[in-house]
Amino acid sequence: IRDRYQRRVRGNIKMAKNKIAALFAKRKFSFIFLSILLIYKIFRIIRNKKKLLPPIPSFTVHDSEFDVCIVGAGPSGATCAFYLARAGMKVLLLEKNNFPRDKICGNLLSPRAQIHLSEMGVLQELLNENAIQKVCVGGFVSPSGKSFFGNFIEEKIISIKRIVLDQRIAQAAITAGATMHYTEVKWLHYDQNNRLWNIVTQNQNNNNKFWKSRVVVTADGPMSRIARSIGVITSPHNAIFAKASIQPGTHSFLPDNVIFYVQQALPGYLFISKEVDDTLSVCLIYFTDKLISGERFLNFFLRLIAEDTHIRGAIGYEAIISRSEVTKIYIKNIVMQEWVVLQNHLLIILL
């Protein structure tokens, strides 16, 4: 009886030790995990501070002030500059990259967008140069393979390559009276006392310049680095976009545009669009806020093109991909009441 009692006591002691050790290990793991998380948060804060566009000590001062400074000379920024300059505003248009330059995009323009191109005189110019592909035949393909195709009778979507379109719209803005500079915004701050934006830019020769403007329009892409740098937008990306270009003469795609709802790509869709030179643009947009590496998503996209029977059947089995790329984007309709409505000095365009 005594031996049995002692064995039970020793067993209970051993069990208690194991529980204490397990609890300590669990707390130790939690402590290590929290420490790593804290270090990561500190790293993010330091990195974000670096992104806050630190002041540049030396720059060239420009005496003149502008009514509006637009960051980004893409279609949105340049169109905004065109209308403001035509209305008599003193407009400064800043673009980081020299034209002509291409962008990852589906290159499709709706009838409403064509109205503005016509207003700027760009649409007729490109039509005369045969630089526009009209989308006359299009359709949809469901995940099960059921499809519908039809002809566009009245309103037509058109396709224009961004390497051509962006430069023409920017030139229209300059013709309307906007001042354009190829330079990158490195720092900006709103002076509450003088109600002016102070902006420092740096060109490709590392020359810094100082500008002043009553209003700033950020049209620097769907992720808007400028809006994030001043803390107006803090949300992560919520979509990822991939594009592949099919060489002309290697495909057998007959329609002008087809949208594919592929089961593996839901929520999202893939579309194929024909360009004016018979190049095919195959694009996939996938809605997610998860951390997906660009390389991994690009591999998934290329594998989808190669293995999906409906997509492969549409473009042909001899199609050759000449270029593929991927980017993360942010899609959201934002009403920035504090910045736009109340203070009326900042406009954010996420296009």
Side-chain angles (χ1 to χ4, degrees), residues 131-145:
I132 294 177
Q133 172 70 32
K134 293 183 179 180
V135 179
C136 300
V137 181
F140 301 87
V141 179
S142 71
S144 63

Side-chain angles (χ1 to χ4, degrees), residues 161-173:
K161 290 189 174 184
R162 289 286 301 273
I163 195 171
V164 176
L165 178 67
D166 291 21
Q167 185 173 7
R168 294 301 179 88
I169 300 178
Q171 185 58 51

Side-chain angles (χ1 to χ4, degrees), residues 220-249:
D220 56 335
M223 290 300 289
S224 191
R225 182 182 65 89
I226 300 298
R228 292 178 184 279
S229 69
I230 56 179
V232 178
I233 298 178
T234 57
S235 303
H237 73 278
N238 58 8
I240 188 166
F241 183 86
K243 178 182 178 180
S245 298
I246 307 294
Q247 290 183 10

Side-chain angles (χ1 to χ4, degrees), residues 25 50 69 72 75 79-80 99 128 135-136 141 155 166-169 171 218 223 265 291-292 295 308 314 317 329:
K50 290 182 178 179
C69 172
T79 301
C80 182
F99 289 121
N128 295 337
V135 179
C136 300
V141 179
E155 295 185 338
D166 291 21
Q167 185 173 7
R168 294 301 179 88
I169 300 178
Q171 185 58 51
T218 67
M223 290 300 289
L291 294 175
I292 302 177
E295 183 180 0
D308 187 273
Y317 289 89
I329 58 178

Side-chain angles (χ1 to χ4, degrees), residues 81-109:
F82 168 82
Y83 282 111
L84 290 174
R86 195 176 68 169
M89 297 287 182
K90 194 172 184 180
V91 181
L92 174 64
L93 183 60
L94 303 176
E95 170 59 36
K96 181 172 63 174
N97 300 313
N98 291 350
F99 289 121
R101 55 105 173 96
D102 203 3
K103 286 284 187 178
I104 175 172
C105 180
N107 299 335
L108 296 172
L109 293 169

Side-chain angles (χ1 to χ4, degrees), residues 65-66 189-191 194-198 212-214:
E65 298 176 357
F66 289 87
H189 173 72
Y190 186 70
D191 185 351
N194 297 319
R195 299 184 66 82
L196 287 171
W197 280 97
N198 298 321
K212 289 187 176 184
S213 177
R214 292 169 51 203

